[in-house]
Amino acid sequence: MKIPYNILHVSGNVLFAGRGGKIHSFSLSDGTHLSTWKHPDVEKVDAAVRSNMEKTSEMVSIVESSGNPEGGDDNGPPAKRQRLEGSTDETSKESNRETQQDSNPAEGSENQNDGGKEKQKGKKSKNRQNNEKRKEPQMRVPDRPVITHMTSTSDGAHLLAITGHDKVIWVFKHDGNGIITQLSRRTMPKRPSSVVIGPDSQIICADKFGDVYALPLIEDSSFSGTPQPSTPSLAVSKPILTSKPAANTTTVHSKRNLRALANQQQQMELATRTKTDPVAKSELPEFEMTLLLGHVSMLTSLILGDSEGRRYILTADRDEHIRVSRYIPQAYVIENFCFGHKDFVSAMAIPSSRKDILISGGGDEDLFVWDWKASRLLSKKSILSLAQEIMPNLTKIAVSGLKTFVYPTEGGELTYVAAVCEEIKAVFSWQLTEDNVLNHPSVIQLPGNLLDVEVVLGADGELPKLVTAVDVGEQTDAKSLVIYSLIMTDEKLAVGEISFVRDAELEAEELDIKEDAVRGLLYNTENLRKQVTEEGGDEQGGEGLEIPDVEAMEE
């Protein structure tokens, strides 16, 4: 199978589609291919794969050519080997062995057994030597690059992408016609898990260690030494632990709290070591980067919101928390939390038409609708029951993405929410009503597992379009990238005309990849779910004392 398109982003009339370590751009007008950017490791991976394929085919040819050297029938028993040398000596040895067996039957039996073992051992040794001759060292395949996130500035002048295997943030200049030029490459300390671009040209990046950083969009080439705030107002908002934590291993018992305590101790040791150790200082990033805030759990989603003229950073983590913090330069101020999820939160969205509303989802069977500024849960809607209409045996669900958009009608614009769920061959959508309830559910079935979705708003009376990135597996008659026009019936969404991008040549260039490799690269949301232990607690927690958030205590 071919690696599918896995991440989408629309900027103006251009569709950017990530496929492995490549970013392809297409025109949304006629589907023509505009440009391709490749991660430097793509060529290395392809070269290693081709080399190993050639060596494998050579080994197969050698085995096939030497598989029946005696020319016998493949279906019959193996032919006897003919002795070409030393037949007289072997015959005399055999005669002496028979004579010894006749004079001493017991001893002869033992010798016969020993001789058989020696012959068998000799055969195994020869076979091993032959196999070793046939084996040739294969080239190690480097980690396969995958574009995990893409976004752009509001004016479309810059595109940002993240590759997960090397923790790199890439910034490109976009000419508005699908041609991108690389401007910078910055390797983060930890793997990024979510990213947005602020209105002040700041990259706000969350990582899997639980921290949120701010970076300037355009890298300052003159910067050197220890990272400093990009502006005087951007102070490092996360305090450095310089005193011993109040909790200790005698007062903390649950796995989750022990892990949080270990993180606090590690942070304190790192802060102390960085001040005095020149080696530790050299390991710091050599670009401008400001620590804004942090969680004690893995961050899974990050978005920006604004209310009453003030901006906010909304962060979600694996521990079911949604946190609302102020934007730069007061990111250390926590406004509130949105509590209610029972499992991980992996996706959040704020509709552009309803900026006071937050929709969140993850490992729970429901989508949550919040007044995020007031930290108030407004409604819930079961997404599991909707998925069970096409998969009756489904018992749990993992939401990997949420998108909101408006659908123009004669009576005004209607707000809709679309959900992407891992290993589900469908797009789920609802209308967000005026009383903040998700109604009019619809299911748009697809030929494969949905990986990402984008909505293109229509212009000059055109219908909105739904762009889908699908994992079609081994299907050769299905496309991974498909564009549907959206129609509405009884306020429920459905698909109309179908169109495709022109990527036949790109498809032919892609090398085959094993299905399990694709799963390891692209299916990671369900892995956020904590496993229940025999004692009844999860893998990281359980009953025990709760350690307060470090940032909340010291702020």
Side-chain angles (χ1 to χ4, degrees):
M1 63 176 294
K2 310 284 189 180
I3 190 167
Y5 294 95
N6 62 288
I7 187 75
L8 304 173
H9 181 71
V10 173
S11 178
N13 196 40
V14 177
L15 169 65
F16 292 101
R19 187 175 196 173
K22 303 175 184 178
I23 300 177
H24 302 293
S25 62
F26 301 93
S27 170
L28 287 170
S29 300
D30 54 11
T32 56
H33 175 243
L34 302 175
S35 69
T36 295
W37 174 85
K38 293 183 182 180
H39 189 286
D41 290 347
V42 169
E43 297 295 339
K44 298 178 183 178
V45 172
D46 289 351
V49 171
R50 289 192 179 96
S51 175
N52 291 340
M53 290 174 61
E54 292 174 358
K55 291 180 180 179
T56 301
S57 61
E58 290 176 2
M59 290 171 61
V60 171
S61 301
I62 293 174
V63 172
E64 290 178 350
S65 62
S66 61
N68 190 14
E70 304 298 331
D73 186 5
D74 292 338
N75 298 325
K80 290 184 177 181
R81 289 188 178 181
Q82 298 180 0
R83 297 189 180 276
L84 301 179
E85 296 179 0
S87 59
T88 304
D89 295 338
E90 294 295 333
T91 303
S92 61
K93 290 180 182 179
E94 188 67 26
S95 300
N96 293 336
R97 188 179 296 112
E98 290 176 358
T99 304
Q100 291 176 2
Q101 289 178 2
D102 292 340
S103 61
N104 190 349
E107 184 180 355
S109 177
E110 292 177 0
N111 293 337
Q112 185 175 2
N113 292 337
D114 293 342
K117 290 180 181 179
E118 291 177 359
K119 288 182 179 179
Q120 187 176 4
K121 184 177 180 181
K123 290 181 179 178
K124 290 182 178 179
S125 178
K126 289 180 180 178
N127 291 336
R128 189 181 298 111
Q129 292 175 0
N130 291 336
N131 290 335
E132 289 176 355
K133 289 180 181 179
R134 290 171 182 171
K135 288 182 179 179
E136 293 184 20
Q138 290 195 341
M139 183 182 297
R140 179 188 176 276
V141 179
D143 292 337
R144 189 180 293 271
V146 174
I147 308 296
T148 58
H149 299 81
M150 277 197 300
T151 186
S152 65
T153 53
S154 57
D155 59 0
H158 294 89
L159 176 74
L160 183 146
I162 291 177
T163 47
H165 77 295
D166 54 4
K167 303 176 290 187
V168 172
I169 294 179
W170 306 82
V171 176
F172 306 90
K173 182 180 179 181
H174 179 215
D175 68 349
N177 298 314
I179 308 299
I180 57 176
T181 304
Q182 180 183 324
L183 296 181
S184 64
R185 167 181 179 166
R186 283 169 275 186
T187 303
M188 299 297 292
K190 301 294 180 180
R191 179 176 295 186
S193 56
S194 188
V195 66
V196 295
I197 301 177
D200 53 353
S201 296
Q202 289 285 324
I203 301 172
I204 312 298
C205 177
D207 64 28
K208 292 194 173 183
F209 196 69
D211 294 325
V212 177
Y213 293 93
L215 300 81
L217 179 65
I218 306 301
E219 186 177 15
D220 184 3
S221 58
S222 63
F223 179 83
S224 61
T226 305
Q228 298 292 332
S230 57
T231 65
S233 62
L234 287 178
V236 177
S237 56
K238 187 172 181 179
I240 300 298
L241 293 177
T242 56
S243 60
K244 186 178 180 180
N248 55 60
T249 54
T250 61
T251 59
V252 174
H253 305 286
S254 68
K255 292 182 179 179
R256 177 185 301 175
N257 293 340
L258 285 171
R259 179 170 174 265
L261 176 62
N263 287 339
Q264 294 178 27
Q265 295 172 340
Q266 183 180 11
Q267 183 184 9
M268 181 182 64
E269 294 173 0
L270 180 61
T272 304
R273 182 168 63 91
T274 303
K275 291 180 179 180
T276 58
D277 188 359
V279 177
K281 291 182 180 180
S282 65
E283 294 175 356
L284 293 173
E286 297 181 355
F287 53 84
E288 214 170 325
M289 186 175 70
T290 304
L291 181 61
L292 299 179
L293 57 94
H295 288 224
V296 294
S297 179
M298 178 191 301
L299 286 174
T300 55
S301 182
L302 181 150
I303 59 174
L304 300 181
D306 61 82
S307 175
E308 300 176 351
R310 173 171 284 175
R311 300 190 186 102
Y312 297 88
I313 302 173
L314 283 75
T315 48
D317 62 30
R318 192 189 180 196
D319 284 344
E320 310 95 36
H321 302 147
I322 298 176
R323 171 173 160 179
V324 180
S325 306
R326 291 185 182 178
Y327 193 68
I328 302 168
Q330 294 181 314
Y332 56 88
V333 178
I334 301 175
E335 284 289 323
N336 55 57
F337 289 88
C338 296
F339 292 126
H341 283 276
K342 301 300 182 183
D343 218 311
F344 64 89
V345 185
S346 52
M348 299 187 295
I350 295 178
S352 59
S353 58
R354 307 274 290 279
K355 294 186 178 182
D356 57 331
I357 300 299
L358 168 70
I359 296 97
S360 63
D364 294 291
E365 66 175 70
D366 299 317
L367 291 182
F368 289 62
V369 181
W370 306 85
D371 179 347
W372 59 269
K373 188 65 170 58
S375 188
R376 184 160 58 97
L377 179 63
L378 302 176
S379 65
K380 296 194 295 185
K381 177 64 67 173
S382 175
I383 187 172
L384 179 61
S385 60
L386 189 60
Q388 287 173 339
E389 294 182 7
I390 58 175
M391 301 178 67
N393 298 325
L394 195 66
T395 59
K396 57 185 178 180
I397 200 162
V399 179
S400 56
L402 290 171
K403 299 293 172 69
T404 63
F405 58 97
V406 294
Y407 194 101
T409 64
E410 294 181 355
E413 293 183 338
L414 301 178
T415 302
Y416 283 86
V417 179
V420 181
C421 299
E422 193 167 79
E423 294 197 71
I424 302 292
K425 299 179 180 180
V427 181
F428 304 122
S429 67
W430 300 262
Q431 182 190 133
L432 179 63
T433 63
E434 292 296 329
D435 53 354
N436 302 315
V437 176
L438 295 175
N439 277 339
H440 307 294
S442 69
V443 180
I444 300 174
Q445 292 189 259
L446 303 169
N449 294 333
L450 180 63
L451 299 176
D452 197 14
V453 65
E454 275 286 296
V455 178
V456 183
L457 301 181
D460 300 329
E462 293 183 355
L463 294 175
K465 296 179 181 179
L466 187 73
V467 187
T468 60
V470 177
D471 179 8
V472 297
E474 299 288 348
Q475 302 178 66
T476 57
D477 56 345
K479 290 283 190 179
S480 175
L481 190 57
V482 184
I483 303 174
Y484 303 90
S485 62
L486 285 176
I487 59 176
M488 187 172 59
T489 304
D490 296 331
E491 299 189 358
K492 293 184 178 182
L493 295 181
V495 294
E497 297 181 356
I498 302 176
S499 59
F500 305 96
V501 297
R502 302 178 186 178
D503 64 344
E505 295 182 359
L506 303 176
E507 186 78 16
E509 293 176 358
E510 289 292 333
L511 298 179
D512 289 335
I513 183 174
K514 294 182 179 179
E515 182 179 355
D516 57 350
V518 172
R519 295 190 61 82
L521 292 170
L522 306 182
Y523 294 85
N524 300 306
T525 306
E526 179 61 36
N527 296 337
L528 296 173
R529 195 182 304 276
K530 298 174 183 176
Q531 303 299 319
V532 178
T533 62
E534 294 181 359
E535 290 78 8
D538 58 54
E539 65 177 4
Q540 294 186 9
E543 299 298 324
L545 297 177
E546 187 72 21
I547 294 182
D549 192 299
V550 180
E551 295 76 25
M553 287 197 313
E554 300 195 7
E555 289 160 4

